[in-house]
Amino acid sequence: MPFTYKPGVIGLQRVCIYRRAFGKRILKEMWIVLGGYLGKVLRVNLTEGTITSETVSPAVLRVYIGGTGLGIFFLYNEVPAGVTPFSPDNRLVFCTGPLTGSGVPGSGNYSVVTRSPLSGFAVSAQSNGHFGAVLKKAGFDAIIFQGASLVPVYLYINNGQAFLQDAQEVWGKETFETETFLIEKHRIVGMPKPRVACIGPAGENMVLYAGIENEMGHLAASGGVGAVMGSKKLKAVVVLGNGRVPVNPGTQDEFRAAIRKWAGDAKEGGLGATVDRLGSAGLFEAYYQNGWVPVKNLAETKFPAHERFDGVYLRQNFPGKRNSCYACPMDHCRRMTIPNGKYAGMVVEEPEYEDLAGWGSNVGNDDPAAAFYLTDLTDRLGLDLKEATFLVSLLMECYEKGLLTAKDLDGLQLDWGNIEAIAELLKRIAGLEGVGEHLAGGVVKAARWIGKEAPRFAVYVKRGYAPHVHDLRTKWGAIFTQAISQMGSQQGIDLTNKAAPDIGIDQPVGFSAEGIPRAEAMTGRKRQLEDCLGVCYFVCRGPGGLNHYIQALNALTGWDMSVEEALTVGERVINLLRLFNIRFGHTVDDDSVSPRLLEPPKDGPGAGKSLAPWFNQMRRTYYESMGWDPDSGHPLPETLDRLGIKL
Ligand code: SF4
């Protein structure tokens, strides 16, 4: 049944809630929709095939804002203990933030929040591009999927109207094919192009590290969000809209000024300037010199081809065309053509630093074009590259050491750098064919399947999440933030070699076992705040820091949020994620990393350094800094009281 509603006046939409009493309609509650919000959340029950619309109280928006925050608010309230990730009762929440679609830099972002089948805990995966902005322009701040369809379906949203449609004609297709097909099917003359978020074969087959892809190479990748989508037989979400995100009428000039300042700031400073000039591949050489590039499953540290994987070389040798996300001033995302060699003529999204490290140094491949090819394939299949690369590198190390043979791998010879074998393996995983069935559970399950010494070689954080694609042993801030993260991914910001003056940390913390957990308690609040706003990570890295986005947020919404209040939102989100995870059995031992990540590197800048002797004390210090019980890691009642969280 299609659901329709009449869009309100942009900017000042009045929302009235009525109740019936004595046979009359009585106004119970009324408010004005805030700038930055459309005031509508779609609820799609896939079991019943029904679609309804809901409002969210402005009081909730003020304390959870959007993105990860609003997503975990819904998840915490709607997914009780005992609900498994693939149960129809699990929720899959697509959430934008108030800044999404507003015109601030990098505001095409959306978050997908669910109970992860990979970790069993909460996950929030973000993606950029245009999809999030167009979802807002189509009239909705968020979509909550519940239940599961018996047959493949997709959701089509067109300017406030939503329909569930038969997906048989795209079920079985790879992500890029699905996207192209649905865009052509729903293209309307005179309307902006439809945008599509979809799963590929990996999601359909519920591979535990399947992601959700949009715009030919952007992925909400982490934690198996695509597998949950596949379990609900939901192939795609198509959005078409030409509305506008309302701006608080009294502060429109301030909002425009905030956008201008922020756009300039995003391109300044180390990370922003590099990404703007060379993409995140421009970080490769500096990361290599710091010892941060993973080589052969962290078994080695030298990668002679490093210069050919850096953005300077790539942008000189691979012709490309700018392909920026919604409202983004950065020359970051590009479509690139492989000019010669085996993959000549392929047009691909320029890989990120992590893609190049993952399908380059980490698997012993010294040809950047081959890394382009594998990145493109990973996206088409709809797999999370982090998990895929550390899985393949584990298999390669085990193959080299004789723990695995070609016979165990359906005849594939997994020598370092064997691109054809890697590609074939990825296809078998996504299709659950042959050995792929044993590898669809990710690094930890694969290590158990191999047995013998394999678990000792596996690279993962918590109890089963491949980390970001770095050699984290020389990046203690990054290893720690992923170990204690509620979602496996980076919860805070690594301050190994940089400061964060906007939150009062004036010096890098380096390898300080005391400084890292205290810094994490601060930077985690900031990062989680950013993931509530609905903007890209990279545009928040300028020297102006959080002052820019809080100014923009206030001018957009009409709020008067202080820096402290904004950081408290980030802290509240971390605590609610924590409570959700505790509901599903999270213990202190889940805040940990694999043995391989605690081994000291043999050489390079981190030679001989290991986090192992300090880790337990660092974890206690972090718990204390967060107002949590230092033994159990549970938030203390007074902390929850201060944050206004009721159990
Ligand atoms: S910085 Fe890059 S990923 Fe982020 S919004 Fe801009 S183009 Fe997209």
Side-chain angles (χ1 to χ4, degrees), residues 312-334:
V312 172
Y313 178 88
L314 298 180
R315 290 219 171 168
Q316 280 168 359
N317 290 279
F318 292 83
K321 209 165 84 188
R322 189 172 171 147
N323 186 31
S324 296
C325 304
Y326 181 80
C328 188
M330 317 270 267
D331 184 5
H332 171 204
C333 292
R334 292 187 146 227

Side-chain angles (χ1 to χ4, degrees), residues 146-158:
Q146 63 189 74
S149 176
L150 287 175
V151 294
V153 291
Y154 69 94
L155 181 71
Y156 169 54
I157 301 175
N158 180 350

Side-chain angles (χ1 to χ4, degrees), residues 106-107 128-129 218 275 323-326 328 330 332-333 352 536-539:
S107 53
N128 297 300
H218 292 277
V275 168
N323 186 31
S324 296
C325 304
Y326 181 80
C328 188
M330 317 270 267
H332 171 204
C333 292
E352 301 292 335
C536 168
Y537 167 85
F538 288 118
V539 302

Side-chain angles (χ1 to χ4, degrees), residues 219-550:
L219 248 87
S222 297
V225 292
V228 174
M229 192 156 158
S231 76
K232 295 185 178 304
K233 287 267 191 303
L234 177 67
K235 177 68 177 175
V237 180
V238 182
V239 288
L240 189 58
N242 58 0
R244 283 198 300 135
V245 174
V247 181
N248 179 53
T251 46
Q252 297 195 340
D253 289 344
E254 284 94 325
F255 184 59
R256 277 191 286 273
I259 292 180
R260 280 196 297 276
K261 258 166 68 185
W262 187 353
D265 185 72
K267 295 167 152 213
E268 289 176 19
L271 186 66
T274 304
V275 168
D276 179 39
R277 199 165 55 88
L278 298 168
S280 64
L283 302 165
F284 199 101
E285 183 59 20
Y287 280 12
Y288 181 71
Q289 296 306 333
N290 284 337
W292 295 348
V293 171
V295 183
K296 294 188 176 176
N297 203 40
L298 315 194
E300 295 184 20
T301 57
K302 299 280 186 287
F303 181 53
H306 55 94
E307 284 176 359
R308 281 190 285 128
F309 280 72
D310 187 72
V312 172
Y313 178 88
L314 298 180
R315 290 219 171 168
Q316 280 168 359
N317 290 279
F318 292 83
K321 209 165 84 188
R322 189 172 171 147
N323 186 31
S324 296
C325 304
Y326 181 80
C328 188
M330 317 270 267
D331 184 5
H332 171 204
C333 292
R334 292 187 146 227
R335 298 295 290 171
M336 282 187 149
T337 305
I338 301 178
N340 46 43
K342 187 169 175 189
Y343 309 100
M346 271 187 74
V347 180
V348 297
E349 186 75 9
E350 180 184 57
E352 301 292 335
Y353 154 77
E354 291 196 46
D355 304 330
L356 292 159
W359 293 136
S361 55
N362 195 42
V363 295
N365 161 41
D366 59 9
D367 175 8
F372 282 30
Y373 161 69
L374 287 177
T375 302
D376 186 76
L377 177 64
T378 312
D379 291 349
R380 285 173 187 271
L381 296 171
L383 286 165
D384 176 13
L385 188 141
K386 303 188 291 298
E387 198 75 32
T389 180
F390 280 117
L391 171 75
V392 169
S393 63
L394 169 70
L395 297 175
M396 287 179 147
E397 185 176 350
C398 290
Y399 185 79
E400 183 182 43
K401 291 185 163 136
L403 304 187
L404 277 174
T405 64
K407 201 164 150 239
D408 301 316
L409 297 164
D410 298 345
L412 297 173
Q413 300 192 341
L414 269 188
D415 300 298
W416 293 111
N418 186 342
I419 304 302
E420 284 71 29
I422 296 172
E424 185 54 37
L425 195 66
L426 294 177
K427 289 176 193 166
R428 288 183 194 199
I429 292 169
L432 289 189
E433 293 163 31
V435 68
E437 272 206 70
H438 298 292
L439 307 176
V443 170
V444 172
K445 289 194 171 72
R448 284 195 207 118
W449 169 69
I450 299 165
K452 299 169 213 156
E453 289 174 283
R456 202 163 61 72
F457 306 146
V459 177
Y460 61 92
V461 295
K462 307 201 74 75
R463 283 198 196 166
Y465 248 130
H468 282 281
V469 191
H470 300 285
D471 187 339
L472 293 174
R473 297 170 304 168
T474 47
K475 233 172 161 347
W476 281 14
I479 198 172
F480 188 73
T481 187
Q482 290 178 81
I484 54 76
S485 164
Q486 309 316 304
M487 300 169 290
S489 194
Q490 295 212 158
Q491 180 172 283
I493 299 164
D494 171 35
L495 298 182
T496 302
N497 70 340
K498 59 177 182 268
D502 58 343
I503 49 171
I505 302 173
D506 294 324
Q507 299 292 327
V509 293
F511 291 91
S512 161
E514 179 67 21
I516 289 169
R518 296 202 187 285
E520 170 60 29
M522 291 299 294
T523 64
R525 296 162 86 205
K526 178 179 165 184
R527 272 295 297 123
Q528 293 316 302
L529 165 68
E530 289 166 2
D531 282 351
C532 296
L533 298 175
V535 287
C536 168
Y537 167 85
F538 288 118
V539 302
C540 295
R541 306 273 69 81
L546 83 172
N547 294 313
H548 284 301
Y549 44 85
I550 294 176

